[in-house]
Amino acid sequence: MFPEKEVFLMRKIFKCRDIGNNCEYQVSGNSEEEVLQRVSEHAKRAHNMKTISKELADKVRTAIYTLF
Ligand SMILES: [Zn+2]
């Protein structure tokens, strides 16, 4: 019964390639929100996106997978 530890051990992984970009960028975080935040910063810098549309955010969420 250590739910907090379980949460800590779960890693959310996202690869830019998984949403169709020819890009080696990969990010991990403890939560979907954390990953999404980093991905949006990356998208702005590397892919010249000024804003992250809801569509893109949904795409990213779908592509994020959990590593236990
Ligand atoms: Zn990228």
Side-chain angles (χ1 to χ4, degrees):
M1 289 279 282
F2 296 104
E4 282 169 38
K5 195 179 177 190
E6 276 174 37
V7 169
F8 178 73
L9 287 172
M10 281 191 335
R11 300 294 287 166
K12 302 286 182 182
I13 316 283
F14 170 80
K15 290 176 182 170
C16 208
R17 187 177 288 279
D18 289 345
I19 57 165
N21 290 318
N22 186 20
C23 174
E24 293 299 323
Y25 179 77
Q26 182 180 327
V27 65
S28 67
N30 292 316
S31 71
E32 222 172 58
E33 291 311 311
E34 192 184 332
V35 171
L36 203 58
Q37 178 64 38
R38 289 182 189 169
V39 171
S40 63
E41 279 163 23
H42 163 74
K44 285 173 195 166
R45 271 201 315 268
H47 301 293
N48 294 314
M49 290 179 189
K50 288 190 173 63
T51 56
I52 305 302
S53 65
K54 197 189 169 297
E55 262 185 356
L56 181 66
D58 285 347
K59 227 175 166 185
V60 171
R61 277 180 211 276
T62 307
I64 290 173
Y65 60 93
T66 306
L67 197 73
F68 293 96

